[in-house]
């Protein structure tokens, strides 16, 4: 039973929590733990409401000294009646560990048999751990005590100390929203430090100790630099005591901003070759979660429809901080290359929504808006806001907002009020266009003639989304380049809309120097880019010579957008990749370009009959990149190897699987070996015995996931039947549920096969089997499974009919959103093939 916004409003008028005292016993075996909650709260005298609780069994519930009957617990709601002005609720219950990354998740590391527990209470999972009023505006301080097995370390929001063997007690926290509460426990490897009076800790599984200790200095440096920058920028010191960063297994998100105890997915402790992009993403995640300590944790949204106040702000602040205060001063390159591509894809889907004010009638609805709009678009909109009011006014407004609502809650109206006062202007109209209206404008260049030439008089044309019209003013740069990619002219435009003259570029078009014109050079605004025909034709020659890496990244993202809109041919993207990638030196740009060419163009947009030839061409391109790369530190080495790992030539990959003739830096890289194993399995060029042997040599969590993905990738009917049953069968006592990561691994490998006939029967199975998994899989994890298991490889009008039939059914919210988005992407493939079919 999901909590509605109306119910949350009503409850917040009745009760106000004063303090939580939580006792957890984690030393009761691998499946269950004990939870005791003492909650003191005030209430309207004589009123009734409910607390949230989702136990295996309820041993006792006492309200003001009277025992509540068993019938008081209905579903996930513990009904509370005849409340006094001051109340105490004491609940003792047995709870179940999660396997889906929600609640208190427990995972076992096959490398050494050790177990780890972590809390992920985001959105509505807190009742799986303790009794509470689970909504973001009912904040209170916490005392937490944990009983843990001997040899374990326990970390929580408040500084933890072992008061007797196996018994850990935390310092009382500041007021926290229920979804921020966490406990992480296990035999962690730990690195500690201190900075500016703040005790720092970094923790990961014991089997990752060597990797953690080698990489901790880089992570701690980013942590310290981010603290210094935020202290200076916000004028408010970090308010939550110690600062621990815990890298945990099988984590659904990238990270979670629990005050004082941030949790990260432990793939961010690298066990294989990691390029610049991976290091930059990790640094960004560290800085992003820290930004939440002020925006989200200190000041928390009133309700989930203001989720963007958390995520857009942290997304923007992390990139700003990396650029200003760390070695990762190319953060905006990665934004242009990957984050915005994610956001534009969300904007193209029918599920798009406004940045702010998106309806969140209940918690399930709110979860669906945790997407590229709330993150990437919101961040881009904040950059436009700064161009609109000035950075000084923006910082002053943020400071005022944080000071005014510290340890409390706030809304969009509160944020805009602080910014308007600081800027000295009304931001209502700006907010309505940029924040409260979905959709994006399109930027294109218009000429008097058909092409760039002597008679052309170029203009920038800004066209609103016809289905969601809004007048947005943009700060944007338009740049012109010659055939070699050298910039010959540019126009910097501030606060523009409609049709805008480009005087500097117009002056440069009198000769023949202008070959391509790029709207949104430098990636300053949020908008789709539609290249003119002449610029597209000149792209292959000009793109490699463009100096600015952010602009090159933006161009690749715009090409992906054009591919999705059936405006750029798949073959055109492959031709541009062939010309540009051997000269590319920025890893984020290489990542987006190779992913576009291999994953999108060949993996989805090209018809099956055309893929072998395209794969052969990409393999040749990868060989050129490897040949021109200067050793393992050249980004083209890793990018070329990853691109070549998708080849259709099994003979080229077999030596790599054996550990022979690997590119520089990839010797002993087990994650890369599993990438190769998956491709060989798709080609039916490896055996199950080979995979079993590889798993025996890499019996780790990542090894097991790599094994499951490869094992599900074989093209034969028997393998597909096994993989589908493993993915979708209901758990039992004899066959417990797969973890969230194991389900993702199986789903990732399933649809890869060269035989459409083998896969076709599972379209109907997807329609029938995935929704019923809601019975044992949480919404957050199921959304990912539904997306990964979608039969995108079989894009066709026939599949379109099946998907539309599925969407006519009653579906779990997580499944519906995933299917809507995947269906939209499939329709893009169908439209592209209709336009560019040969």
């Amino acid at each position: 039973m999901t909590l509605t916004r109306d119910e949350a409003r009503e409850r917040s008028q009745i009760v106000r929590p004063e303090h939580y005292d939580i006792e957890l016993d984690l030393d009761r075996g691998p499946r269950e733990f004990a939870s005791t909650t003492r909650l003191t709260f005030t209430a309207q005298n004589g009123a009734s409401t409910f607390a949230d609780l989702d136990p295996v069994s309820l041993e006792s519930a006492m309200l003001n000294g009277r025992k509540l009957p068993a019938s008081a617990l209905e579903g996930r709601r513990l009904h509370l009646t005849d409340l006094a002005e001051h109340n105490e609720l004491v609940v003792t219950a047995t709870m179940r560990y999660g396997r889906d990354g929600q609640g208190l998740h427990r995972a076992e590391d096959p490398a050494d048999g050790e177990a780890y527990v972590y809390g992920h209470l985001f959105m509505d999972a807190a009742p799986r751990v303790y009794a509470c009023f689970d909504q973001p505006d009912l904040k209170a301080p916490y005392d937490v005590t944990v009983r843990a097995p001997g040899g374990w370390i326990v970390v929580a929001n408040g500084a933890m100390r072992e008061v007797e063997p196996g018994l850990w007690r935390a310092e009382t926290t500041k007021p926290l929203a229920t979804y921020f509460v966490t406990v992480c426990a296990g035999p962690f490897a730990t690195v500690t430090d201190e900075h500016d009076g703040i005790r720092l800790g970094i923790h990961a599984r014991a089997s990752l100790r060597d990797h953690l200790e080698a990489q901790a200095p880089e992570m701690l440096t980013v942590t310290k630099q981010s603290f210094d920058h935020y202290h200076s920028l916000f004028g408010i010191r970090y308010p939550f005591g110690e600062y621990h960063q815990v890298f945990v297994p099988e984590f659904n998100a990238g990270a979670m901003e629990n005050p004082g105890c941030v949790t990260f997915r432990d793939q961010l402790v690298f066990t294989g070759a990691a390029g610049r992009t991976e290091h930059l993403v990790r640094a960004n995640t560290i800085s992003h979660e820290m930004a939440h300590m002020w925006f989200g944790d200190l000041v928390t949204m009133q309700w989930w429809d203001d989720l963007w106040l958390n995520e857009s702000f942290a997304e923007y602040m992390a990139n700003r901080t990396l650029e200003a205060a760390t070695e990762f001063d190319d953060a905006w390159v990665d934004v242009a290359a990957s984050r915005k591509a994610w956001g534009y894809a969300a904007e193209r889907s029918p599920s798009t929504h406004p940045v702010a004010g998106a309806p969140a009638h209940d918690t399930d609805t709110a979860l669906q808006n945790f997407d590229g709009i709330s993150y990437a678009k919101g961040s881009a909109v904040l950059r436009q806001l700064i161009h609109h009011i000035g950075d000084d006014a923006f910082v002053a407004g943020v400071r005022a907002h944080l000071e005014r609502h510290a340890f409390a809650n706030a809304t969009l109206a509160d944020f805009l009020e602080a910014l308007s006062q600081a800027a000295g202007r009304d931001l209502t109209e700006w907010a309505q266009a940029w924040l409260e209206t979905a959709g994006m404008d399109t930027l294109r260049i218009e000429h008097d003639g058909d092409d760039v030439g002597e008679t052309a008089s170029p203009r920038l044309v800004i066209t609103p989304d016809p289905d969601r019209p809004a007048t947005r003013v943009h700060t944007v740069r338009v740049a012109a380049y010659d055939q070699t990619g050298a910039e010959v002219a540019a126009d910097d435009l501030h606060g523009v809309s409609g049709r805008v003259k480009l005087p500097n570029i117009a002056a440069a078009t009198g000769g023949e120097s202008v070959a391509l014109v790029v709207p949104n050079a430098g990636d300053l605004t949020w908008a789709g880019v539609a290249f003119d025909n002449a610029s597209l034709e000149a792209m292959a020659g000009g793109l490699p010579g463009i100096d600015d890496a952010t602009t090159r990244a933006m161009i690749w993202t715009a090409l992906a957008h054009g591919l999705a809109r059936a405006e750029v041919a798949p073959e055109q993207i492959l031709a541009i990749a062939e010309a540009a990638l051997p000269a590319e030196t920025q890893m984020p740009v290489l990542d987006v370009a190779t992913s576009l060419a291999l994953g999108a163009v060949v993996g989805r947009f090209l018809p099956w009959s055309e893929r072998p030839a395209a794969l052969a061409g990409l393999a040749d391109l990868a060989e050129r990149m490897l040949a021109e790369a200067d050793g393992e530190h050249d980004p083209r080495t890793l990018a070329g190897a990853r691109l070549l790992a998708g080849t259709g030539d099994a003979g080229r990959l077999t030596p790599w699987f054996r550990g022979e003739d690997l590119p520089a830096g990839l010797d002993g890289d087990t994650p890369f070996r599993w990438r190769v194993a998956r491709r060989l399995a798709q080609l039916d060029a490896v055996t199950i015995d080979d995979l079993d042997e590889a798993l025996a040599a890499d019996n780790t969590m990542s090894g097991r996931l790599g094994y499951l993905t490869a094992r599900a990738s074989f093209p034969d009917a028997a393998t597909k039947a096994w993989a589908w049953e493993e993915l979708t069968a209901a758990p039992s006592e004899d066959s417990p549920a797969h973890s969230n990561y194991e389900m993702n691994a199986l789903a990732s490998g399933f649809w890869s096969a060269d035989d459409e006939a083998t896969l076709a029967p599972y379209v109907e199975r997807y329609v029938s089997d995935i929704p019923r998994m809601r019975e044992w899989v949480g919404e957050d994890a199921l959304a990912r499974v539904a997306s990964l298991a979608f039969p995108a490889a079989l894009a066709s009008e026939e599949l379109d009919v099946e998907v539309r039939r599925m969407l006519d059914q009653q579906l779990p919210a997580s499944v519906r959103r995933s299917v809507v988005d995947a269906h939209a992407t499939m329709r893009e493939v169908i439209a592209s093939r209709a336009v560019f079919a040969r």
Side-chain angles (χ1 to χ4, degrees):
M1 185 181 299
T2 185
L3 181 71
T4 69
R5 179 173 185 165
D6 289 344
E7 289 173 327
R9 283 174 172 166
E10 181 179 355
R11 185 162 62 178
S12 67
Q13 293 171 358
I14 295 172
V15 301
R16 182 60 50 182
E18 294 182 321
H19 184 265
Y20 284 90
D21 192 324
I22 299 171
E23 297 178 8
L24 302 176
D25 185 352
L26 309 184
D27 198 15
R28 294 182 49 169
R31 295 196 176 183
E32 297 175 347
F33 62 97
S35 170
T36 298
T37 305
R38 292 177 180 83
L39 166 59
T40 56
F41 61 99
T42 60
Q44 293 178 8
N45 200 26
S48 298
T49 188
F50 60 91
D52 302 291
L53 180 68
D54 188 14
V56 174
S57 62
L58 175 60
E59 275 71 63
S60 173
M62 304 287 292
L63 177 62
N64 298 331
R66 72 176 190 271
K67 186 173 182 178
L68 299 180
S71 60
L73 181 63
E74 184 181 8
R76 287 166 48 105
R77 295 183 173 183
L78 182 64
H79 294 284
L80 310 176
T81 60
D82 193 23
L83 295 173
E85 183 178 351
H86 297 281
N87 303 271
E88 181 182 63
L89 175 66
V90 182
V91 174
T92 300
T94 298
M95 319 297 275
R96 181 175 288 110
Y97 288 116
R99 290 285 286 156
D100 57 2
Q102 295 170 246
L104 205 57
H105 184 95
R106 189 180 190 276
E108 185 173 303
D109 187 347
D112 54 16
E114 297 286 3
Y116 296 86
V117 168
Y118 65 86
H120 185 57
L121 276 53
F122 178 71
M123 200 68 80
D124 64 349
R128 292 170 59 169
V129 180
Y130 66 102
C132 57
F133 298 129
D134 192 22
Q135 57 191 74
D137 61 332
L138 294 181
K139 301 168 76 170
Y142 285 77
D143 279 296
V144 177
T145 303
V146 177
R147 172 74 62 183
W152 280 25
I153 292 172
V154 181
V155 188
N157 304 100
M160 268 283 183
R161 299 293 181 265
E162 191 172 18
V163 295
E164 63 181 62
L167 185 66
W168 297 74
R169 186 163 293 133
E171 291 182 359
T172 304
T173 72
K174 298 291 187 181
L176 304 180
T178 50
Y179 75 99
F180 289 140
V181 176
T182 193
V183 167
C184 300
F188 290 114
T190 296
V191 176
T192 61
D193 203 343
E194 186 172 317
H195 179 70
D196 194 17
I198 304 167
R199 186 170 183 266
L200 308 176
I202 298 183
H203 314 268
R205 287 179 283 126
S207 64
L208 296 175
R209 181 181 302 277
D210 291 345
H211 300 291
L212 179 73
E213 291 178 351
Q215 296 167 46
E218 178 183 304
M219 292 188 277
L220 286 167
T221 295
V222 172
T223 300
K224 296 172 184 179
Q225 291 168 332
S226 297
F227 264 129
D228 290 345
H229 190 72
Y230 290 140
H231 284 157
S232 174
L233 193 65
F234 301 144
I236 300 173
R237 281 189 57 81
Y238 167 69
F240 296 108
E242 296 184 356
Y243 194 74
H244 294 269
Q245 298 175 93
V246 191
F247 293 83
V248 296
E250 301 177 341
F251 197 66
N252 281 330
M256 179 64 200
E257 65 270 21
N258 313 303
C261 186
V262 180
T263 43
F264 299 80
R265 59 170 54 209
D266 64 9
Q267 290 96 326
L268 291 174
V269 179
F270 309 129
T271 59
R276 174 73 174 184
T277 303
E278 285 87 353
H279 285 269
L280 194 158
V281 166
R282 182 172 67 189
N284 182 286
T285 307
I286 290 170
S287 193
H288 175 113
E289 302 309 319
M290 189 184 293
H292 277 308
M293 298 300 121
W294 287 265
F295 227 102
D297 297 6
L298 178 66
V299 179
T300 306
M301 59 196 166
Q302 190 82 21
W303 178 247
W304 300 107
D305 50 8
D306 277 328
L307 175 70
W308 82 278
L309 281 171
N310 285 11
E311 301 306 340
S312 301
F313 185 85
E315 180 93 353
Y316 167 73
M317 277 298 166
N319 291 296
R320 174 178 177 144
T321 299
L322 292 189
E323 181 187 49
T326 77
E327 67 171 287
F328 298 99
D329 54 3
D330 53 347
W332 294 111
V333 178
D334 184 64
V335 170
S338 63
R339 302 299 282 182
K340 278 196 160 180
W342 175 40
Y344 290 149
E347 192 84 285
R348 291 192 302 268
S349 175
S351 65
T352 188
H353 55 87
V355 174
H361 304 299
D362 56 33
T363 52
D364 283 353
T365 304
L367 179 62
Q368 310 318 308
N369 292 336
F370 201 65
D371 60 10
I373 302 294
S374 296
Y375 283 78
K377 181 179 181 179
S379 170
V381 168
L382 288 178
R383 293 185 79 186
Q384 283 294 302
L385 174 61
I386 291 168
H387 290 307
H388 187 63
I389 66 173
D391 192 63
D392 289 346
F394 175 75
V395 172
V398 167
R399 284 189 170 199
H401 179 75
L402 293 174
E403 291 168 358
R404 194 173 298 164
H405 302 286
F407 299 111
N409 299 81
T411 65
L412 168 63
D414 296 324
F415 184 60
L416 290 178
E417 180 184 5
L419 292 174
S420 296
Q421 290 175 352
R425 67 173 79 174
D426 184 3
L427 295 176
T428 302
E429 185 176 341
W430 181 93
Q432 184 174 8
W434 276 106
L435 293 175
E436 298 178 82
T437 306
M440 63 179 171
D441 298 342
T442 297
L443 310 182
R444 61 183 177 87
I445 301 300
E446 179 185 80
H447 304 278
D448 284 345
D450 292 333
D451 298 308
V452 176
E454 286 189 20
T455 61
S457 179
R459 289 176 295 275
L460 174 68
V461 180
I462 304 173
T463 307
D465 182 337
D467 296 324
R468 305 171 185 88
T471 301
R472 301 180 181 91
V473 293
H474 295 258
T475 293
V476 65
R477 189 167 200 265
V478 182
Y481 304 87
D482 66 15
Q483 292 281 0
T484 69
E487 184 179 304
V488 295
D491 285 283
D492 293 300
L493 309 171
H494 298 274
V496 296
S497 61
R499 301 159 72 89
V500 186
K501 291 182 179 180
L502 303 172
N504 295 331
I505 293 176
T509 59
E512 299 180 356
S513 58
V514 175
L516 65 151
V517 181
V518 177
N520 201 20
D523 196 42
L524 298 180
T525 195
W526 178 266
V529 170
F531 293 111
D532 62 87
N533 291 333
S535 294
L536 270 177
E537 291 173 5
M539 196 70 72
L543 178 55
I546 294 176
D547 282 339
D548 180 52
T550 304
T551 298
R552 297 198 305 275
M554 184 282 302
I555 288 172
W556 280 110
T557 297
L559 290 171
H561 183 63
L563 174 71
R565 290 170 56 87
E567 296 169 349
V568 179
E571 295 81 4
Q572 198 162 20
I573 288 177
L574 295 179
I576 295 170
E578 182 179 358
L581 293 192
E584 182 57 63
T585 57
Q586 287 286 323
M587 196 69 199
V589 183
L590 285 166
D591 282 337
V592 69
T594 55
S595 175
L596 176 60
L598 181 61
V601 172
V602 179
R604 292 189 289 115
F605 279 81
L606 285 182
W608 289 63
S609 61
E610 297 178 20
R611 293 179 186 180
L615 283 173
L618 288 179
D620 291 341
L621 171 60
E623 296 280 15
R624 285 177 54 205
M625 293 167 65
L626 289 169
E628 296 183 24
D630 184 20
E632 67 177 284
H633 299 296
D634 190 318
R636 292 171 294 185
T637 299
L638 185 55
R642 290 173 175 174
L643 183 59
L644 190 54
T647 182
D649 181 3
R652 185 67 182 83
L653 296 181
T654 299
W656 284 5
F657 180 68
R658 296 185 189 131
E660 302 167 359
D661 303 324
L662 285 158
L666 291 173
D667 288 327
D669 188 328
T670 52
F672 183 75
R673 189 188 187 198
W674 285 113
R675 181 192 291 255
V676 171
R678 174 186 179 179
R679 183 57 181 152
L680 288 172
Q682 292 170 358
L683 299 171
D684 206 15
V686 71
T687 68
I688 294 176
D689 287 343
D690 292 331
L691 297 184
D692 290 341
E693 184 179 337
L695 179 59
D698 181 29
N699 190 24
T700 62
M701 296 191 84
S702 61
R704 287 197 175 184
L705 297 174
Y707 174 88
L708 286 174
T709 301
R711 180 75 173 79
S713 297
F714 284 103
D716 62 282
T719 290
K720 296 308 178 188
W722 168 85
W724 194 258
E725 181 68 15
E726 288 290 312
L727 174 63
T728 63
S732 65
E733 286 297 321
D734 296 329
S735 179
H738 280 294
S739 75
N740 49 337
Y741 272 35
E742 289 167 345
M743 290 186 292
N744 292 345
L746 288 162
S748 296
F750 184 83
W751 291 102
S752 53
D754 292 330
D755 182 3
E756 293 178 78
T758 302
L759 296 174
Y762 291 95
V763 171
E764 177 60 33
R765 297 289 301 274
Y766 178 89
V767 171
S768 62
D769 293 352
I770 296 298
R772 68 182 179 84
M773 293 175 67
R774 180 63 182 88
E775 296 173 14
W776 64 90
V777 180
E779 291 281 347
D780 199 9
L782 186 56
R784 184 66 172 160
V785 171
S787 180
L788 290 171
F790 186 85
L794 301 181
S796 65
E797 293 292 354
E798 293 75 17
L799 177 58
D800 180 62
V801 172
E802 289 293 324
V803 174
R804 291 181 188 276
R805 182 169 66 85
M806 183 179 186
L807 290 171
D808 286 338
Q809 303 174 16
Q810 288 288 337
L811 296 174
S814 57
V815 174
R816 176 169 295 279
R817 173 62 185 270
S818 294
V819 173
V820 166
D821 290 346
H823 180 234
T825 302
M826 185 191 75
R827 292 300 311 169
E828 292 172 351
V829 171
I830 294 172
S832 174
R833 291 178 184 174
V835 172
F836 298 111
R838 291 184 293 184

